[in-house]
Amino acid sequence: MTWNKPLPQPTPTSAPYWEGLKAHEVRIQQCDQGHWVFFPRIHCPVCASRELAWRKISGEGTLYTFTVARIPTMPEFTDEMPQILAVVKFDEGPHINTTIVGADPATLKVGQRVRPVFDDRPGTATLLRYTPVESAHPGVIDDAADAKVMPAAETVPAVAVRKIDIKNIDAVRALVSDSFSAWSPELAVTQELINEFAALSGDDYWIHTDPERSRKESPFGGTIAHGMLIQVLLGRLRIPQDYEITGFNNMVNYGSDRLRFPVPVPAGCRIHARSRVKSVEQVKSGVKLMMEINVHVVGQDDRPCAINDMIIMYM
Amino acid sequence: MGLSGQAALVGAAQYRPEKYSTAPQMFHLEQVADLTVRALADAGLELAEVDGLIVPAPQFHEATMFVPAMAGEYLGVALNYAEVVDLGGASSVAMAWRAAAAIEMGMCNTVVCAIPQRMAPFAPDEDMSEFMRASRYGGHSTRYGAPEAELDLPYGHMAQNTGYALIAQRYAATYDYDPAALARIAVAQRFNACHNPEAIFHGQPITVEDVLASRMVAEPLRVLEIVMPVAGGGAMVITRADRTRSIRHRAVKIIGCGEHVQSKSPTYAQDMLATPIGPASRRAFEMSGFKPADMHMAQIYDCYTITVLLTLEDAGFCPKGEGMRFLREHDLTFKGNFPMNTHGGQLSFGQAGLAGGMSQVIEAMQQIQGRAGERQLARHDLAYVSGTGGVMSEQGALILQGA
Ligand SMILES: [Zn+2]
């Protein structure tokens, strides 16, 4: 997968730090007076000594502070939602900006022990992330590990299903609700999928298909999925329902009252969907049931990337 | 040592904050000229009397070098003092004391500080990609060799929201953290804005419940605790206090100032909760001979509610760690026992980029001059004004007193 995010550009001074990470070691500088230095510099900011040596450290430390970003700090980080941004204090003293992986944000505590996780996915550089010491998260993230955390939409969570006869209009009307169903399984919207849709639909506008140019010129920092692709993918996002409509001869998709794409879906994000019955209307030819189906980028549960008020006609 | 009140704020002008999408586009040179002429008219001074000019550099559209010379030439004034200030949101406070210092030193007589913050029109063939890049990364440098480009951006550490959230979370783990108390800042300022027709949120009151129910942006900060960036701009005129007989309004003497720059990213500060506003404010109060309790108003830089809280504590309005109690026990509106950000603060007046902080200096000036209209304070002779740039990185404080 292409790394759609800003990459570090090591300088001659900082290169040993990045080489260390590639070797899955944390190396920071220490001056001849014993002061630990981070970020990499040409002098010690405490005593001004220019005699600095690179030392391997454990990389372990404590969580100095953190935040859970509910809006991506940059669009290309949407696939990490919610972003758990953190400052870690190395045991040697200096602080470092990082992100936390393998932890439920609700359980994080300032001051807790954390250990390094080497993220090899960017390819040209290894990033230093952190996880709670007791977490089972592997100490290295590579593309294979990445695939594991992105399940395909295969299994729908089991729910008890009530059967509702379409002719029992009161029972059908009782389905109308302000609250949404449980989430569907997650699905990754990869660049490959976007490319296939571009070929199929003939919409190969660069904002969807040219990662290089999009990185430079798009306000989204990278390519984004077609709105219509997200709409089409609904078919693969099986939403768990606790009811099943029965007793009809025929059901047809009557169209949509509203189809909106309020939030872009950057390539590489995972999406999931949920729905609710918005209204039920008895008409001459049958029953019109309007479903509000909302697709969200995983981690952005407060804002859908697609809203579809879809009408199903039961006859 | 320090300022002796020989320089005074005498007039100002600012554009009404507007959404960028609807605000007029103007070249920055045009805005500097327009705002300067209006501010001079407000003061009752002539263009020819201006011999000092301070402008911002980082976002000046028409040039990145020789900016004061270009702007002075455009204005049509010869300058005995010309300067660029690059202190983010602290720029206005920093400009004011630099102007006062230059005047007290006898370098010049009348200084205009101008910050244009409406968007300049783009040339038809202009390459948008650099602009897109700069606007996406906000205050973060993307240049090769910048530690933040190398060590922050790859992790998504970017701009202000999460930076302030990191500070707020650290505060919450150290001291009493009460979201409802912090919300009182936003609510009181909105009340003030509802008495200020120039404020972008005029006529839109909010409650503590509204703040607490608003969208979570970066825990623990919610959207109603965060400023909305708008187009705008401002200019202020500072002149010799003994030349002010000809001016139209009460002279507002600059009697204390302080500045402290500690780090770019608060990550690298020894203690994220010991902010630069502490040393900056102590110096300003000491110079002025007054204490926090003597102030009749506080115009506190408020990019976030947490910024106000840390400023209240570190500037000495309440002991460290007791900010939440202070907020619960005080009425922060212009009608209350601790009048603060009487124009609505940037949270409710609107934050016009670097000019956002100028709205606080101008409000202090207008209050002291008795020109604050409906929200005029009864006691209005002494004001504390703060400025904050970056993420509690670069801060400044002013003490102002009516002549
Ligand atoms: Zn040293």
Side-chain angles (χ1 to χ4, degrees), chain A residues 3 5-12 14-15 17-18 21 38-41 63-71 73-77 80 83-87 89 95-99 105 110-111 126-129 214-222 300 302-303, chain B residues 127-130 132-133 135-137 140 142-159 161-174 214-221 223 226 264-274:
Chain A
W3 197 251
K5 307 173 193 188
L7 282 165
Q9 289 186 284
T11 66
S14 68
Y17 170 70
W18 294 107
L21 292 185
F38 191 81
F39 49 89
R41 267 171 264 210
L63 186 58
Y64 184 78
T65 188
F66 67 97
T67 183
V68 184
R70 298 289 174 184
I71 297 175
T73 55
M74 283 182 275
E76 54 266 48
F77 285 82
E80 291 181 20
Q83 288 167 273
I84 311 176
L85 302 168
V87 177
K89 184 181 172 74
H95 299 175
I96 180 174
N97 279 322
T98 184
T99 62
V110 167
T126 295
L127 298 181
L128 180 55
R129 305 189 192 278
S214 296
R215 243 179 103 83
K216 250 180 70 191
E217 292 179 41
S218 157
F220 308 113
Q300 276 191 291
D302 59 344
R303 280 183 104 189
Chain B
D127 178 13
M128 292 292 284
S129 60
E130 200 192 337
M132 291 299 307
R133 204 167 134 98
S135 61
R136 289 184 56 237
Y137 291 94
H140 267 69
T142 60
R143 302 246 174 118
Y144 181 50
E148 57 201 34
E150 185 178 340
L151 294 156
D152 294 359
L153 296 180
Y155 297 92
H157 276 268
M158 218 282 294
N161 289 346
T162 52
Y164 278 96
L166 290 168
I167 295 177
Q169 194 85 276
R170 176 81 191 170
Y171 187 97
T174 313
S214 68
R215 186 173 187 213
M216 185 64 82
V217 174
E219 291 175 10
L221 299 178
V223 73
I226 301 174
K264 171 77 200 297
S265 163
T267 296
Y268 302 119
Q270 267 288 339
D271 178 358
M272 211 180 239
L273 301 180

Side-chain angles (χ1 to χ4, degrees), chain B residues 39-56:
Chain B
L40 288 168
D42 183 58
L45 292 169
E46 302 295 325
L47 179 63
E49 293 176 81
V50 175
D51 61 351
L53 179 65
I54 311 182
V55 287

Side-chain angles (χ1 to χ4, degrees), chain A:
Chain A
M1 202 172 71
T2 31
W3 197 251
N4 227 355
K5 307 173 193 188
L7 282 165
Q9 289 186 284
T11 66
T13 302
S14 68
Y17 170 70
W18 294 107
E19 283 157 18
L21 292 185
K22 266 195 178 160
H24 297 170
E25 284 182 3
V26 181
R27 297 174 195 157
I28 67 171
Q29 293 165 295
Q30 189 180 34
C31 81
D32 55 358
Q33 303 300 305
H35 303 125
W36 292 99
V37 179
F38 191 81
F39 49 89
R41 267 171 264 210
I42 63 160
H43 77 298
C44 169
V46 179
C47 70
S49 166
R50 295 173 70 101
E51 300 302 316
L52 299 175
W54 285 93
R55 310 258 185 239
K56 181 186 163 186
I57 61 170
S58 74
E60 285 194 16
T62 53
L63 186 58
Y64 184 78
T65 188
F66 67 97
T67 183
V68 184
R70 298 289 174 184
I71 297 175
T73 55
M74 283 182 275
E76 54 266 48
F77 285 82
T78 311
D79 66 320
E80 291 181 20
M81 292 305 291
Q83 288 167 273
I84 311 176
L85 302 168
V87 177
V88 165
K89 184 181 172 74
F90 291 128
D91 288 341
E92 289 73 17
H95 299 175
I96 180 174
N97 279 322
T98 184
T99 62
I100 301 291
V101 293
D104 172 2
T107 65
L108 291 175
K109 287 254 180 323
V110 167
Q112 79 181 91
R113 296 289 300 164
V114 288
R115 62 176 169 87
V117 172
F118 301 96
D119 186 348
D120 287 336
R121 288 173 302 169
T124 58
T126 295
L127 298 181
L128 180 55
R129 305 189 192 278
Y130 274 83
T131 196
V133 275
E134 67 278 8
S135 155
H137 194 282
V140 175
I141 306 176
D142 53 26
D143 274 329
D146 195 37
K148 254 181 282 165
V149 300
M150 286 200 188
E154 283 159 7
T155 48
V156 179
V159 283
V161 173
R162 299 172 285 146
K163 290 194 189 299
I164 298 190
D165 193 300
I166 195 70
K167 289 180 278 296
N168 182 353
I169 192 69
D170 289 335
V172 180
R173 284 208 174 104
L175 293 174
V176 174
S177 172
D178 281 339
S179 52
F180 283 90
S181 67
W183 292 108
S184 72
E186 297 171 4
L187 179 73
V189 183
T190 59
Q191 186 63 52
E192 294 69 35
L193 200 58
I194 296 171
N195 291 346
E196 283 172 38
F197 186 78
L200 184 67
S201 63
D203 177 357
D204 60 354
Y205 189 42
W206 59 269
I207 207 161
H208 304 304
T209 56
D210 188 342
E212 193 77 5
R213 185 170 173 192
S214 296
R215 243 179 103 83
K216 250 180 70 191
E217 292 179 41
S218 157
F220 308 113
T223 49
I224 58 166
H226 307 71
M228 289 313 291
L229 168 59
I230 299 304
Q231 150 66 9
V232 164
L233 287 174
L234 259 179
R236 287 173 60 178
L237 293 170
R238 276 175 296 153
I239 301 167
Q241 300 291 10
D242 61 355
Y243 63 88
E244 184 191 339
I245 307 255
T246 60
F248 54 88
N249 297 321
N250 207 346
M251 82 184 235
V252 292
N253 183 341
Y254 196 77
S256 293
D257 255 20
R258 179 172 67 139
L259 183 60
R260 296 278 185 279
F261 307 113
V263 171
V265 180
C269 287
R270 284 166 295 142
I271 55 171
H272 58 176
R274 58 184 179 178
S275 67
R276 67 182 180 106
V277 177
K278 198 174 181 181
S279 67
V280 171
E281 194 188 344
Q282 177 110 54
V283 292
K284 226 182 268 170
S285 46
V287 175
K288 268 179 169 177
L289 187 133
M290 188 194 287
M291 301 286 294
E292 179 180 350
I293 306 170
N294 287 354
V295 185
H296 292 246
V297 172
V298 172
Q300 276 191 291
D301 294 350
D302 59 344
R303 280 183 104 189
C305 56
I307 303 168
N308 186 354
D309 283 353
M310 191 173 78
I311 302 160
I312 305 158
M313 174 75 94
Y314 292 93
M315 291 169 288

Side-chain angles (χ1 to χ4, degrees), chain B residues 358-372:
Chain B
M358 196 179 280
S359 75
Q360 264 128 344
V361 185
I362 293 175
E363 175 69 8
M365 180 196 82
Q366 291 181 341
Q367 283 283 359
I368 291 172
Q369 290 173 334
R371 303 161 66 201

Side-chain angles (χ1 to χ4, degrees), chain B residues 113-126:
Chain B
C113 310
I115 303 184
Q117 207 70 58
R118 285 176 171 173
M119 191 115 62
F122 281 97
D125 61 347
E126 206 155 331

